[in-house]
Amino acid sequence: MKTVYLDFAGATPVDPRVRDGMEPFYSEIYGNPSSMHSFGREAAEALESAREKVAGLLSAPKSKNIVFTSGATEATNLAIKGIAGRSSNKKEIIISAIEHISVTNVCRYFQKQGFTIKTVGVDEYGFIDLEELKKAVSKETALVSVMYANNEIGTIQPVREVGAITEDAGVPFHCDATAAVGKIPVNVVGDKIDMLTISSNDMYGPKGVGALYMRDGLRTEPLLHGGGQERGIRSGTQNLPGIAGMGTAAELAEKEMEKRAAHLISLRDPLIKGILDSVPESYLNGHPKKRLPNNAHIRFSYIEGESIILSLDMIGVAAASGSACTSKTLEASKCLTAIGLSHEEAHGSLQMTLGPSNAMEDVKYVLDNLPAIIKRLRAMSPLAPREEN
Ligand code: PMP
């Protein structure tokens, strides 16, 4: 059976060039980067080279602004706990209404510690309300956390405007750029971002590796205490094969970004248009233009996303009904309800995220099969209006 993978937001394959670059770090270059002998120095050089490549992708001023972590969740925890956790007088965190669960759940933790969490609303496309953000920032604000692009509906936020507001207010700005980095240009200085979360697997690097960009002069509390690696901010021997892989993935993403985006958009737009044209009562979630190049997110009236996913899976198509990180909960997506959808509408959504291995024949396969799937599911749905005989 033909298989079509359309869940690159859930996980990406490791680019073979990245995998080749990781190989020597298992059994050949195995020294501890903190050791003083030649084996250690060789490992430390590789570590610093990866750091430079990641810094380059983000246009960070110095490679030492990059702290390697075990992934995006750890980077975000380090950012928010590192800043809010050491704030003795400011007890307020501001986030947007469509942040990833790795941000919202850290905020819940702080709420239990007595913090106020202010949630700034978004419009129907998922763009943050900048006026509301401006009003929300106060002398009590310890941190603002707004994502770069939404991992579900693909909307790209006006990050530079958010950065201007936080800079004016003198409040640290953390940005979860996991979904954006490698797909669209990110410039931490231009965007006035103080801390930025990224993950390797979202750009065809290995899983379980990520990084936090921290601008010079920020003082944070570490999550992990130990040997003082990563300038004391993240103790523990670095995962060198993974970090080397992330470095190569970042270097390739920087070099190939334009070409990759053009390929993804050339598939995304016909996929979206093809579905909207062929399926009645189907609607695009997120903004038609200001969206990630690989994201198609469509909602269908009267049916459930899960039943569409299962039907697609039966014909070899892997798609998602929302973030893999929240798939264990039965709740409607907070992102979709925040953009104004009812619970029924939110549950009827299908997320397809494209990658470099997809081709037009994959799009065609979906377009050839999806309309009949939707029709069949609607015929069984008690919510769908019955056709008159
Ligand atoms: N933030 C966003 C926007 C994500 O999409 C994800 C998942 N890829 C994460 C954070 C968490 O990433 P990780 O599983 O690497 O910790």
Side-chain angles (χ1 to χ4, degrees):
M1 182 173 65
K2 182 177 171 64
T3 55
V4 177
Y5 187 74
L6 292 177
D7 191 18
F8 283 83
T12 69
V14 174
D15 186 309
R17 296 168 293 177
V18 169
R19 195 187 53 216
D20 290 349
M22 290 170 68
E23 191 67 39
F25 295 97
Y26 287 102
S27 310
E28 290 164 44
I29 306 170
Y30 50 81
N32 187 319
S34 301
S35 299
M36 290 174 72
H37 46 62
S38 61
F39 291 77
R41 285 199 301 278
E42 193 182 17
E45 262 172 42
L47 178 65
E48 295 318 313
S49 156
R51 207 185 298 283
E52 274 167 28
K53 289 170 187 164
V54 173
L57 177 64
L58 307 177
S59 300
K62 297 177 194 146
S63 63
K64 77 175 180 63
N65 296 128
I66 305 299
V67 177
F68 287 112
T69 66
S70 65
T73 302
E74 187 193 329
T76 290
N77 271 262
L78 177 58
I80 303 181
K81 289 187 178 165
I83 293 291
R86 72 192 300 278
S87 164
S88 52
N89 51 343
K90 300 180 177 186
K91 298 284 179 193
E92 177 183 283
I93 302 172
I94 300 177
I95 60 173
S96 87
I98 58 170
E99 292 305 305
H100 187 264
I101 194 166
S102 55
V103 168
T104 54
N105 274 351
V106 186
C107 290
R108 258 167 87 171
Y109 164 83
F110 275 104
Q111 206 165 19
K112 287 191 199 131
Q113 317 285 314
F115 273 68
T116 302
I117 311 299
K118 282 189 185 165
T119 305
V120 176
V122 294
D123 67 12
E124 80 242 56
Y125 296 118
F127 294 125
I128 186 168
D129 184 332
L130 293 166
E131 285 309 309
E132 194 184 329
L133 174 65
K134 227 183 255 176
K135 284 191 202 126
V137 182
S138 77
K139 284 202 241 12
E140 305 301 315
T141 313
L143 179 85
V144 169
S145 186
V146 175
M147 69 200 324
Y148 213 102
N150 185 267
N151 53 299
E152 286 181 57
I153 56 172
T155 298
I156 301 167
Q157 291 293 359
V159 173
R160 204 153 278 208
E161 284 80 352
V162 173
I165 292 171
T166 51
E167 189 186 51
D168 267 1
V171 173
F173 171 26
H174 167 252
C175 182
D176 176 0
T178 309
V181 121
K183 297 190 191 74
I184 54 172
V186 170
N187 182 319
V188 284
V189 178
D191 290 337
K192 302 181 189 311
I193 294 167
D194 297 299
M195 287 174 291
L196 181 114
T197 288
I198 62 171
S199 130
S200 150
N201 191 234
D202 284 71
M203 50 182 180
Y204 319 115
K207 295 177 181 61
V209 194
L212 181 69
Y213 158 82
M214 285 179 61
R215 80 154 161 77
D216 282 348
L218 264 188
R219 295 188 49 205
T220 53
E221 199 57 44
L223 293 178
L224 303 180
H225 300 267
Q229 290 89 345
E230 298 293 297
R231 297 191 294 118
I233 299 167
R234 203 279 186 178
S235 283
T237 303
Q238 291 91 342
N239 166 11
L240 199 53
I243 290 171
M246 184 173 184
T248 312
E251 187 179 36
L252 292 171
E254 193 181 350
K255 262 195 218 141
E256 298 177 1
M257 192 177 300
E258 256 179 64
K259 198 176 84 191
R260 288 182 189 180
H263 170 69
L264 295 168
I265 291 170
S266 78
L267 301 178
R268 178 198 69 184
D269 289 349
L271 177 63
I272 293 174
K273 186 172 182 322
I275 296 174
L276 299 185
D277 285 351
S278 62
V279 181
E281 295 192 69
S282 59
Y283 309 92
L284 179 69
N285 291 324
H287 194 271
K289 292 267 176 286
K290 290 181 183 159
R291 65 187 305 122
L292 291 173
N294 72 333
N295 178 295
H297 203 290
I298 316 266
R299 79 177 187 274
F300 301 93
S301 305
Y302 317 123
I303 49 177
E304 296 234 314
E306 277 73 16
S307 53
I308 312 173
I309 309 298
L310 293 176
S311 302
L312 285 172
D313 190 39
M314 282 165 69
I315 60 159
V317 178
S321 59
S323 166
C325 306
T326 40
S327 63
K328 288 192 173 57
T329 69
L330 288 175
E331 275 177 53
S333 151
K334 290 212 168 57
C335 168
L336 297 180
T337 50
I339 63 170
L341 302 189
S342 67
H343 282 240
E344 287 75 26
E345 287 170 325
H347 276 300
S349 289
L350 174 68
Q351 174 179 312
M352 288 164 289
T353 41
L354 296 143
S357 53
N358 290 127
M360 197 47 104
E361 64 180 59
D362 298 336
V363 171
K364 203 171 163 306
Y365 188 63
V366 172
L367 295 179
D368 284 347
N369 289 284
L370 190 62
I373 290 175
I374 304 293
K375 198 167 178 194
R376 182 171 55 77
L377 294 173
R378 281 181 177 163
M380 295 187 293
S381 166
L383 300 173
R386 296 283 144 233
E387 279 172 26
E388 298 293 333
N389 287 324

